[in-house]
Amino acid sequence: MSDSQTDTIRTAQPKILVLGATGGTGRLIVAQALARGYEVTVLVRSPKKASGLKGAKLVVGDARDERALREALKGQDAVISALGTPASPFREVTALSQMTRTLVNAMKAEHVSRLVSITGIGAGDSVGHGGFLFDNVIFPLLLRNVYADKNRQEAIVGDSGLDWVLVRPSVLNDKPGGHTVRALTDLSGFHGGTISRADVATFVLDQVRDDTWLKRSPLITW
């Protein structure tokens, strides 16, 4: 990140692009960012899906299209990726890694360096720490292919040369935010956990301006 970008993020209200803004966590990220006074742009495939995102600038396009991404990235200080994909127990999943590779290329072309990307518990070295039901039933039966692609996604981010943070939430719920959030990299003794989407949104937004977890992959949980 250039010195001027760093200064802008830390001293002025940042301009951010949110991907996956129409999902459950993405909508909360947008709402909280606007409440903080951030200038928010969202890339959406359909304006109809962007209902409830009032206050954000809409750019219509596909996250797999580098030209659309570059248009949405112009003038931004940071990107938050809350991209997700449905469970796919039988078919290989490649969408997350493909979109992330395209995003990294577009960010480099537009000289935007800060990337905060949400993956999840079960990615990387957090595998096997989701608790009995998640690790032995949900993950192998429903999410194995999704997380194989999340691992590819994380590898692309880690090798990107960008100023990145990978955020791995524990099992998500829709309870109100405001809880104490633990950010962990040492998972010894940790098995299972939950966190609200609202608290995930808060933590993710904090990483736009904070270097505490720069180039690290914390698991966040209550």
Side-chain angles (χ1 to χ4, degrees), residues 147-174:
Y147 271 83
D149 202 38
K150 285 182 183 285
N151 288 338
R152 290 188 287 269
Q153 176 188 17
E154 288 200 347
I156 291 165
V157 173
D159 292 339
S160 67
L162 299 173
D163 293 330
W164 56 266
V165 181
L166 288 165
V167 180
R168 298 167 174 169
S170 58
V171 177
L172 295 169
N173 65 59
D174 292 314

Side-chain angles (χ1 to χ4, degrees), residues 60-78:
V60 178
D62 195 306
R64 294 167 291 189
D65 182 349
E66 187 170 338
R67 288 178 297 179
L69 277 169
R70 289 190 62 174
E71 179 63 28
L73 280 163
K74 291 185 185 301
Q76 305 296 339
D77 298 309

Side-chain angles (χ1 to χ4, degrees), residues 71-152:
E71 179 63 28
L73 280 163
K74 291 185 185 301
Q76 305 296 339
D77 298 309
V79 177
I80 293 175
S81 173
L83 292 167
T85 191
S88 181
F90 305 115
R91 294 185 180 181
E92 183 183 18
V93 176
T94 60
L96 293 172
S97 57
Q98 288 177 346
M99 287 187 287
T100 300
R101 186 175 290 108
T102 303
L103 173 62
V104 167
N105 291 338
M107 288 180 67
K108 289 180 176 179
E110 295 298 328
H111 307 290
V112 180
S113 296
R114 176 73 66 154
L115 171 61
V116 186
S117 185
I118 302 172
T119 56
I121 190 168
D125 60 7
S126 70
V127 67
H129 291 275
F132 181 85
L133 180 62
F134 183 86
D135 292 339
N136 294 285
V137 180
I138 297 172
F139 188 96
L141 293 182
L142 298 176
L143 299 177
R144 177 173 49 87
N145 291 330
V146 170
Y147 271 83
D149 202 38
K150 285 182 183 285
N151 288 338
R152 290 188 287 269

